[in-house]
Amino acid sequence: MPEESKRKFQLITIVYWILLTYIIVALVWWFFSLYSQNEMMYSLRKHNLQLTVSAESKSFQEGLDKIKEQRRRNIGKYIGEGGTFLLLILVGAGYVYRLVRRQFRTQQQQQNFVMAITHELKTPISVSRLNLETLQRYKLDEEKQQKLLNMTMQETLRLDNLINNILISSQLDGRSYEISKEELNFSDLVTDVAHQFFMRYQDRKLVQNIQQDIDIKGDPLLLKLLVSNLLENANKYSPKEKPITIEVKKSTDTIDLSVRDEGCGIKNEEKKNVFQKFYRIGNERTRTAKGTGLGLYLCKKITEDHEGNITVEDNQPQGTNFIVRFYT
């Protein structure tokens, strides 16, 4: 969170707690004030009763019982009303505090997203433009031309994947995307995506353990995006010399997709957050890994829309293992 937003949130928090403390203190003061008033009324009524009725008579005892009953009822009323009011204040205060925190967090995540998306869109366009200008201005040999064209193709594919993430995320959130549930060969789909990934990152070792002829009902575009995002995520957060393993297998009632890397892994306290929209580990200004915070969010959304679930575990000896499970 930037310093300005952090200071603003701290100021709002301080004012909020001061007001809440004042309200609670005022409520406690109100209770003790009414309690003291009730005790004074009890003493006054008892004194008046003693002046008018003999303490030895039956009427005195009946009158005293009525005074005590009135006193007890008043105390019960004050405790009940005060307790209810205090409970409502605490519940409302907790809800408002969580809402404000969530609003600030969402605002910050959106700001981070704008910063990230600006960089993510600008980089492939700049690289592609530079490569094309180089090809246009200079007469290069065939090998160098091919290398520049391959780099340009990689950047355009990266840009296409980024735009797909943004558009589909918006459509899924707005429920404007109609998910198809057609019969398809999931093994072939994963193999195709893995092949495209390998063509883009030929220096990366990709281990494929894909059980053949596994059929699934689903949306081919969304499932391709799911596999692609998991591979891209593994590629971003693991060293280039380390392999990535993609595995597909079918059991009695599930189809499991697993993407494992040997990177630095994810801390346990971060694992529950990585599937949130716009969430990225670390500070937006200092992190070096590319991304917008939409990839894993989309993976979770796509998986749930296909009535499955996605989890993240530690890979052994190091790294991360994302497991997608579809139920058949």
Side-chain angles (χ1 to χ4, degrees):
M1 184 179 289
E3 288 301 319
E4 183 178 353
S5 297
K6 191 174 182 179
R7 286 195 298 269
K8 185 177 179 182
F9 180 73
Q10 288 175 342
L11 177 62
I12 292 175
T13 302
I14 291 171
V15 173
Y16 174 84
W17 285 114
I18 289 175
L19 290 175
L20 181 60
T21 303
Y22 172 78
I23 292 172
I24 293 176
V25 169
L27 179 63
V28 173
W29 178 86
W30 168 82
F31 173 79
F32 280 106
S33 177
L34 290 178
Y35 179 81
S36 299
Q37 185 181 25
N38 187 54
E39 291 297 306
M40 289 176 61
M41 292 297 297
Y42 168 75
S43 299
L44 182 61
R45 288 170 181 167
K46 183 179 178 181
H47 178 70
N48 290 337
L49 181 65
Q50 289 173 338
L51 292 177
T52 57
V53 181
S54 173
E56 303 297 329
S57 68
K58 183 178 180 181
S59 299
F60 176 82
Q61 190 60 43
E62 290 176 351
L64 184 61
D65 290 341
K66 288 181 180 179
I67 294 173
K68 288 182 177 179
E69 178 64 20
Q70 184 65 38
R71 174 196 182 197
R72 186 187 63 79
R73 287 180 179 178
N74 286 341
I75 293 175
K77 181 175 68 174
Y78 301 151
I79 292 175
E81 291 178 352
T84 302
F85 193 33
L86 179 61
L87 180 62
L88 290 174
I89 289 174
L90 293 178
V91 171
Y95 176 77
V96 171
Y97 184 70
R98 289 182 60 187
L99 197 64
V100 171
R101 281 185 63 89
R102 187 181 305 145
Q103 181 64 31
F104 267 90
R105 186 168 59 247
T106 301
Q107 180 183 0
Q108 184 57 41
Q109 288 174 343
Q110 289 174 343
Q111 291 175 355
N112 290 344
F113 172 75
V114 172
M115 291 171 59
I117 200 67
T118 301
H119 175 75
E120 290 290 297
L121 288 172
K122 187 175 181 180
T123 300
I125 293 174
S126 299
V127 172
S128 299
R129 180 180 177 181
L130 180 61
N131 291 342
L132 293 174
E133 286 179 348
T134 302
L135 288 171
Q136 188 178 44
R137 292 181 181 180
Y138 304 101
K139 291 184 178 180
L140 303 176
D141 56 55
E142 184 69 23
E143 183 180 352
K144 290 183 178 179
Q145 288 184 20
Q146 196 62 40
K147 183 177 180 180
L148 286 176
L149 288 173
N150 287 337
M151 290 174 59
T152 304
M153 181 60 70
Q154 286 185 14
E155 293 300 325
T156 55
L157 288 173
R158 175 181 156 198
L159 187 59
D160 180 66
N161 185 68
L162 176 62
I163 293 173
N164 280 337
N165 277 347
I166 297 172
L167 291 178
I168 292 179
S169 172
S170 176
Q171 291 173 346
L172 289 176
D173 286 343
R175 301 186 181 277
S176 59
Y177 184 93
E178 297 215 3
I179 302 173
S180 65
K181 292 293 179 71
E182 59 185 82
E183 286 280 353
L184 54 91
N185 190 313
F186 190 57
S187 302
D188 291 344
L189 183 146
V190 174
T191 301
D192 289 343
V193 176
H195 177 71
Q196 293 172 11
F197 175 84
F198 175 74
M199 295 304 296
R200 289 180 61 190
Y201 307 103
Q202 296 186 18
D203 295 336
R204 169 76 74 176
K205 183 180 179 181
L206 181 62
V207 181
Q208 301 182 50
N209 298 322
I210 301 174
Q211 185 179 330
Q212 295 303 304
D213 299 323
I214 297 178
D215 294 328
I216 193 173
K217 281 187 177 182
D219 188 299
L221 175 61
L222 294 184
L223 291 176
K224 285 181 180 179
L225 193 59
L226 166 67
V227 180
S228 176
N229 281 342
L230 289 176
L231 288 172
E232 290 287 345
N233 184 76
N235 185 59
K236 283 187 293 187
Y237 294 103
S238 62
K240 292 184 178 180
E241 67 275 7
K242 297 291 185 179
I244 295 173
T245 302
I246 183 167
E247 183 178 273
V248 178
K249 62 182 180 180
K250 183 176 182 179
S251 61
T252 305
D253 54 359
T254 64
I255 296 173
D256 294 340
L257 165 68
S258 171
V259 176
R260 300 190 294 272
D261 64 66
E262 297 183 16
C264 58
I266 301 175
K267 296 179 181 179
N268 289 331
E269 57 269 23
E270 297 280 4
K271 288 178 181 175
K272 63 180 181 297
N273 298 322
V274 294
F275 297 110
Q276 294 179 10
K277 193 174 186 179
F278 302 135
Y279 185 84
R280 299 188 67 208
I281 298 172
N283 187 288
E284 196 67 43
R285 299 180 183 273
T286 59
R287 69 167 60 92
T288 57
K290 302 172 183 177
T292 61
L294 284 179
L296 292 178
Y297 165 77
L298 267 178
C299 289
K300 181 177 177 63
K301 192 82 171 67
I302 292 170
T303 303
E304 290 177 345
D305 287 339
H306 285 77
E307 299 176 355
N309 63 67
I310 182 170
T311 56
V312 55
E313 300 177 354
D314 293 331
N315 189 28
Q316 299 300 330
Q318 68 175 25
T320 306
N321 182 18
F322 284 90
I323 302 171
V324 178
R325 179 159 292 162
F326 300 107
Y327 297 92
T328 58

